[in-house]
Amino acid sequence: MTDEKLHPNKESINEFMESFKLASERKRLGLLTVLETRVEELLALGPSVMAGFDSDVCDWTPGFILQLIHKTDENFIKNNLDCNDLAWFTAPSEVGYDYSPLQRYLLNESFEEADRFTSSKLRELAGEKAVKRGYVYFSEVDSISGIDLSTLNKLWIVYSRGKFGFTVQAKILDSVGGRYDKLWPRIGWKKDGIWTRYPKAFNWSIEAPNGHMPLVNQLRGVRLMDSLLNHQALVAKS
């Protein structure tokens, strides 16, 4: 591979990162392979690698960079970045929940474990009855903390290049005119009229269709999914 292909315009890594941050989402997605070829230069930046990124913002760019450097050097985040348990993004909770396990799962692209954690937290947020029965009723969704639901949504988005998350599912639903029968096949939950079998038939990878995760139990019907995607906290971010 030539230097030109490795280093477009022969920019320094700092120059490349500045243009990468300012690029459109489509262009950033196209530059991911270039970023992967320059990972050693990213590591050489040390603590300054995350300069200019905001841990409060729902932006997948720093999430991808964190995943990339963590794959290359699993000690880099712990040794260079000021965060606990590899949890770089802020993850507020109205009820005091710790979302660092979810950040670790997503950082490592352990999407099935991240999905199980999300489902468990949704039950806890819905209340003791939901925990005991093992699933959430649609009527319990309004009582779920908007802050916590926004945190769950944000973490899925930032660690999936913007592919996964509740608001991603909501946008796809809107694009098909609000028709759930068209949503299910678009996000890979149904194929040829047959529900995708959980968990083995689901695609627990970044290559899954947009909106494929997190899973909301579709067998409980449309009302639960509809209540969740129309939660006031998520509608405000759609």
Side-chain angles (χ1 to χ4, degrees), residues 47-74:
S48 67
V49 69
M50 302 308 287
F53 291 116
D54 189 342
S55 61
D56 291 328
V57 175
C58 187
D59 177 10
W60 62 261
T61 307
F64 175 80
I65 291 170
L66 288 166
Q67 287 172 321
L68 181 59
I69 59 181
H70 188 62
K71 281 179 189 174
T72 310
D73 180 355
E74 63 180 18

Side-chain angles (χ1 to χ4, degrees), residues 78 80 89 99 165 207:
K78 179 178 67 176
N80 291 274
F89 285 95
Y99 291 104
E207 304 305 324

